Amino acid sequence: MPFEFPDQPWRGTTYWDWTLTPVKDAGGRVDRLVLSRMDTTERVLREQAIQKALTYAESIVDTIPEPLLILDSNQRVKTANHAFYKMFKVSIEETKDRLLYDIGNRPWDIPKLRELLEEVIPKNSHVKDFEVEHVFPNIGRKTVLLNASRFQQDAADMILLAIDDITQFKKAEEIRLENERLISANKARSEFLSIMSHELRTPLTSVIGYSILLREQELGKLNKKQEFYVDSVLANGKHLLSLINSLLDLAKMEAGKLELVVENVSVPEIISDSLNLIKEKARIQHIVLKKDLDPALNVIEADRQKFKQILFNLLSNALKFSKEEGGIIKVSAKKEGGMAKISVSDTGIGIREEDIPRLFRKFEQLDSGITRKYGGTGLGLAITKQLVELHGGNITVESRYGEGSTFTFSLPIAR
């Protein structure tokens, strides 16, 4: 108990350990009491100083965001910081003075950890970045780095164990490596497509060229059956060349090698030229071609060839998916702020609402029956979208199944 001398205040508080002992006589009765005291001031002040230092140290340790543990030589937990309790979802009561392996529902009963504490630590004062992967009952699978340091306190061996959760880092590293693998595979595929497209296009050009010579009958007359065969070879050769060119464009875009040749381009001129390209086929299919142009929209800065390819792809699709009895294809163009907004609408078979999100995916075709009937590879719209975005624009679609579709793309007027 603390004690102060009223007449000697300079002494301050002293601490006494009092002992009251009964003394019995021969008959076993207590006939006197012996009161003794021992000055314990020095010991108490030392204990208070130690406790104050521990409290201060623990307050500092609690501010460290990584989980920390202090273990004795028997791997019992002497103290842990707030981050440890929070991360591993255990309480102070089920942690302090317990074997590390017995905490909670034994999440730390890990063979590699026992190896670290019982074999590695006794031989080394420090252990750095000892990796442990384990499924913890309360928080799932984690990968942690353990850093341990041996020190002495009151002549006893103690272990400071710092825990660094690197689970997210490991996942990010796995994702990075997987991305590198995918990029490498994608690059290899794009290079393969590019090489194969060139290799296929060279002999195919000869096939088409000789077919044209045969069709012109400069080397001799053809009968009706021969004309049919030559026309079939020529039509299919041109179709195959168109597919190869699409693959080549796709490979260039994916490899980042497709560049724009930007110049001043007349929007009305491009629209008229594109409509002229499909005019004859539209007449045969009983399709009426219309256009609605904003007088305020004239010249934009774009790649002439790519702009025409975008528009031609959309017009070709509108023509391909028109109804058998015919219909209308309309091209509209207007100026909206700094953008040229161009729409291609048709009265064709339309698109189901659930299929619209799949439209611009590469090699994606919405219906096998439609594919067999109308043909195609599913590359046209994917290439169109990339060409629009390469210009810094965007493309959207609206459609009602059975009634028609409207594709709208916007391009910057000035680059």
Side-chain angles (χ1 to χ4, degrees), residues 59-87:
S59 68
I60 293 175
V61 167
D62 272 339
T63 64
I64 297 173
E66 288 78 24
L68 291 176
L69 283 174
I70 294 179
L71 311 174
D72 64 14
S73 57
N74 297 316
Q75 286 86 55
R76 289 187 178 276
V77 180
K78 303 313 292 179
T79 187
N81 68 347
H82 178 70
F84 177 84
Y85 298 122
K86 182 179 179 181
M87 177 176 174

Side-chain angles (χ1 to χ4, degrees), residues 106-119:
R106 301 177 65 83
W108 288 95
D109 192 6
I110 307 169
K112 285 188 74 174
L113 181 60
R114 284 183 179 269
E115 176 190 347
L116 171 70
L117 296 176
E118 296 174 6
E119 297 179 23

Side-chain angles (χ1 to χ4, degrees), residues 220-350:
K221 294 291 182 181
L222 300 176
N223 59 38
K224 292 295 181 184
K225 184 173 287 188
Q226 288 171 331
E227 283 185 11
F228 174 77
Y229 290 156
V230 170
D231 286 344
S232 181
V233 170
L234 183 57
N236 283 287
K238 287 181 177 179
H239 178 63
L240 185 55
L241 182 60
S242 173
L243 296 181
I244 291 171
N245 285 335
S246 294
L247 282 171
L248 190 58
D249 284 344
L250 185 65
K252 283 181 178 179
M253 280 186 277
E254 289 186 343
K257 295 179 180 178
L258 191 66
E259 296 180 357
L260 299 180
V261 180
V262 178
E263 57 182 306
N264 288 334
V265 178
S266 169
V267 174
E269 181 187 326
I270 293 293
I271 291 174
S272 295
D273 288 350
S274 300
L275 288 172
N276 284 334
L277 288 173
I278 67 165
K279 182 168 64 175
E280 184 58 26
K281 197 169 184 180
R283 184 187 63 79
I284 295 170
Q285 293 183 222
H286 310 292
I287 304 295
V288 177
L289 301 178
K290 294 183 177 182
K291 58 182 178 180
D292 179 17
L293 307 183
D294 182 356
L297 180 61
N298 188 11
V299 174
I300 68 170
E301 294 179 7
D303 184 307
R304 180 183 297 275
Q305 182 184 352
K306 302 295 185 293
F307 184 10
K308 188 177 286 187
Q309 186 177 351
I310 292 166
L311 195 53
F312 181 73
N313 282 353
L314 296 179
L315 287 169
S316 298
N317 257 21
L319 199 63
K320 183 193 294 186
F321 297 110
S322 290
K323 295 173 183 174
E324 292 181 359
E325 63 269 22
I328 298 171
I329 293 176
K330 181 179 179 181
V331 180
S332 303
K334 61 180 178 178
K335 182 180 179 182
E336 282 193 359
M339 305 293 284
K341 189 173 182 179
I342 301 162
S343 300
V344 176
S345 58
D346 62 68
T347 55
I349 62 175

Side-chain angles (χ1 to χ4, degrees), residues 383-396:
I383 291 172
T384 300
K385 182 175 185 290
Q386 292 202 31
L387 288 175
V388 169
E389 291 176 349
L390 198 61
H391 279 82
N394 69 292
I395 185 169
T396 59

Side-chain angles (χ1 to χ4, degrees), residues 18-85:
W18 300 87
T19 304
L20 186 63
T21 307
V23 179
K24 299 178 182 180
D25 61 13
R29 291 179 303 175
V30 177
D31 65 347
R32 77 198 74 176
L33 299 171
V34 177
L35 182 63
S36 63
R37 71 178 187 183
M38 182 171 62
D39 187 345
T40 58
T41 304
E42 185 178 343
R43 176 177 61 81
V44 170
L45 292 177
R46 185 170 64 249
E47 289 174 354
Q48 288 177 348
I50 291 172
Q51 186 58 44
K52 186 177 179 181
L54 283 174
T55 302
Y56 178 67
E58 287 177 2
S59 68
I60 293 175
V61 167
D62 272 339
T63 64
I64 297 173
E66 288 78 24
L68 291 176
L69 283 174
I70 294 179
L71 311 174
D72 64 14
S73 57
N74 297 316
Q75 286 86 55
R76 289 187 178 276
V77 180
K78 303 313 292 179
T79 187
N81 68 347
H82 178 70
F84 177 84
Y85 298 122

Side-chain angles (χ1 to χ4, degrees), residues 124-249:
N124 304 278
S125 297
H126 304 280
V127 173
K128 188 176 182 181
D129 294 342
F130 191 86
E131 186 173 315
V132 173
E133 184 177 352
H134 185 65
V135 178
F136 293 90
N138 293 339
I139 58 175
R141 182 174 292 279
K142 292 286 182 183
T143 303
V144 296
L145 288 181
L146 302 179
N147 289 277
S149 179
R150 187 176 58 180
F151 67 99
Q152 281 200 334
Q153 180 178 319
D154 296 333
D157 279 339
M158 307 292 281
I159 299 171
L160 175 64
L161 186 64
I163 304 159
D164 187 9
D165 182 6
I166 60 168
T167 308
Q168 294 303 319
F169 171 78
K170 294 285 283 189
K171 286 181 180 178
E173 184 67 10
E174 289 172 6
I175 291 171
R176 185 186 67 80
L177 293 173
E178 179 64 12
N179 282 342
E180 286 182 357
R181 187 190 68 78
L182 290 174
I183 289 169
S184 176
N186 198 42
K187 184 179 178 182
R189 187 197 67 175
S190 296
E191 289 177 354
F192 171 77
L193 284 175
S194 179
I195 292 168
M196 287 304 298
S197 297
H198 281 295
E199 292 298 320
L200 290 170
R201 195 160 55 168
T202 302
L204 192 57
T205 304
S206 298
V207 171
I208 293 171
Y210 286 126
S211 298
I212 291 172
L213 288 176
L214 287 171
R215 187 70 183 83
E216 291 174 350
Q217 303 188 39
E218 291 185 1
L219 302 176
K221 294 291 182 181
L222 300 176
N223 59 38
K224 292 295 181 184
K225 184 173 287 188
Q226 288 171 331
E227 283 185 11
F228 174 77
Y229 290 156
V230 170
D231 286 344
S232 181
V233 170
L234 183 57
N236 283 287
K238 287 181 177 179
H239 178 63
L240 185 55
L241 182 60
S242 173
L243 296 181
I244 291 171
N245 285 335
S246 294
L247 282 171
L248 190 58
D249 284 344

